[in-house]
Amino acid sequence: SITEETVELLEPYLDMEDYNLETAKKVCGNVAGLCSWTQAMAYFYSINKEVLPLKANLALQEGRLAAAQMELNSAQNQLDEKQMELDEVQAMYDAAMKEKQALLDDAEACRRKMNNATALIEGLGGEKLRWTASSKNFENQIINLVGNVLLATGFLSYSGPFNQEYRNLLLQLWKKEMDNSKIPYSKNLNLTGMLVDNATVGEWNLQGLPNDDLSIQNGIIVTKASRYPLLIDPQGQGKIWIKNKEKNNGLQVSS
């Protein structure tokens, strides 16, 4: 209920030198309390005049703050909901990316398998031609086996004493007789390749046997014939070869 007019009317008294608590106590204690109270009320009014707008503004700002807080809470709730939706979508995205990567890995593995299979099929395609040719060659070998063996046994049994020219002549005569008797044989028959392999020939050469066709044929006759061979060896090549070949088998040499 204190007004500004009341305070203005009171100010002359408040400005007096003896209007204070100490002076009032000298007169009367009750008057001292009243004096102190009036001073305090005047001071309170001046402070409250500044505080009231602040309080009003505070209430206004608190109202705004409450409204803003409500909006913030609402926005936070919406944010939380959107965050949950985002987390679900992110989880779906991660799962989809994981599945995509797995599909890509499977596709790459299938592509590698397909490339390997294609290469294998192409390789087998080339092998098919070789196998077909080999199968046909084997069929021809089976058909010609009897005649080839007959020529090989004739060579081992009868051509030993003769030179290369006469051996070839014998072979041509035998083929002519087999043609007359309709006995099939390989037209391009290589008796040396039929009766001995290249590795064995190479070993014989290391042991001292010459590498010409006649010497290799003689080596075949010596090793393949069932009868003991008699070597007519004026140059000593056969003797050197026999000694080296049988050196580790306890060969005994006499004269």
Side-chain angles (χ1 to χ4, degrees), residues 3-138:
T3 64
E4 185 175 358
E5 183 182 1
T6 304
V7 175
E8 288 179 356
L9 293 173
L10 187 61
E11 281 182 358
Y13 299 96
L14 296 175
D15 293 336
M16 293 181 180
E17 293 181 1
D18 57 351
Y19 195 86
N20 53 63
L21 180 63
E22 288 75 14
T23 305
K25 281 182 179 180
K26 298 176 181 179
V27 179
C28 177
N30 294 333
V31 171
L34 182 61
C35 175
S36 176
W37 180 80
T38 56
Q39 287 178 333
M41 289 298 100
Y43 180 73
F44 170 78
Y45 177 78
S46 64
I47 298 301
N48 194 45
K49 186 171 62 172
E50 297 177 1
V51 171
L52 285 177
L54 296 177
K55 285 185 177 180
N57 187 43
L58 174 63
L60 178 62
Q61 298 303 328
E62 286 179 346
R64 292 179 178 178
L65 175 62
Q69 189 65 42
M70 291 180 62
E71 292 180 1
L72 175 63
N73 293 335
S74 177
Q76 185 64 44
N77 293 333
Q78 293 182 3
L79 176 63
D80 293 340
E81 293 177 359
K82 298 303 180 182
Q83 185 63 44
M84 292 178 60
E85 294 178 1
L86 176 61
D87 293 341
E88 293 178 358
V89 173
Q90 184 66 40
M92 295 173 60
Y93 172 77
D94 293 340
M97 291 301 295
K98 185 177 180 181
E99 183 179 2
K100 174 186 176 183
Q101 188 61 43
L103 292 174
L104 289 175
D105 294 340
D106 291 342
E108 182 62 25
C110 290
R111 188 178 296 109
R112 289 196 301 268
K113 292 180 180 178
M114 184 177 67
N115 293 336
N116 293 336
T118 302
L120 180 60
I121 291 173
E122 291 177 353
L124 291 177
E127 288 297 308
K128 178 182 178 182
L129 298 176
R130 188 178 66 85
W131 291 340
T132 302
S134 297
S135 176
K136 186 176 181 180
N137 186 32
F138 290 150

Side-chain angles (χ1 to χ4, degrees), residues 191-251:
L191 289 175
T192 301
M194 180 179 178
L195 294 171
V196 70
D197 56 76
N198 292 331
T200 301
V201 173
E203 185 177 359
W204 290 350
N205 296 147
L206 293 176
Q207 292 166 351
L209 185 70
N211 196 30
D212 59 277
D213 291 340
L214 181 63
S215 298
I216 294 173
Q217 290 179 359
N218 290 336
I220 293 172
I221 295 171
V222 168
T223 56
K224 300 293 184 181
S226 59
R227 292 171 295 181
Y228 291 109
L230 173 63
L231 273 66
I232 301 174
D233 185 29
Q235 297 180 348
Q237 294 174 334
K239 181 175 66 174
I240 294 173
W241 171 59
I242 290 293
K243 285 183 177 181
N244 292 331
K245 184 176 183 302
E246 301 299 331
K247 179 172 60 176
N248 297 327
N249 295 325
L251 177 67

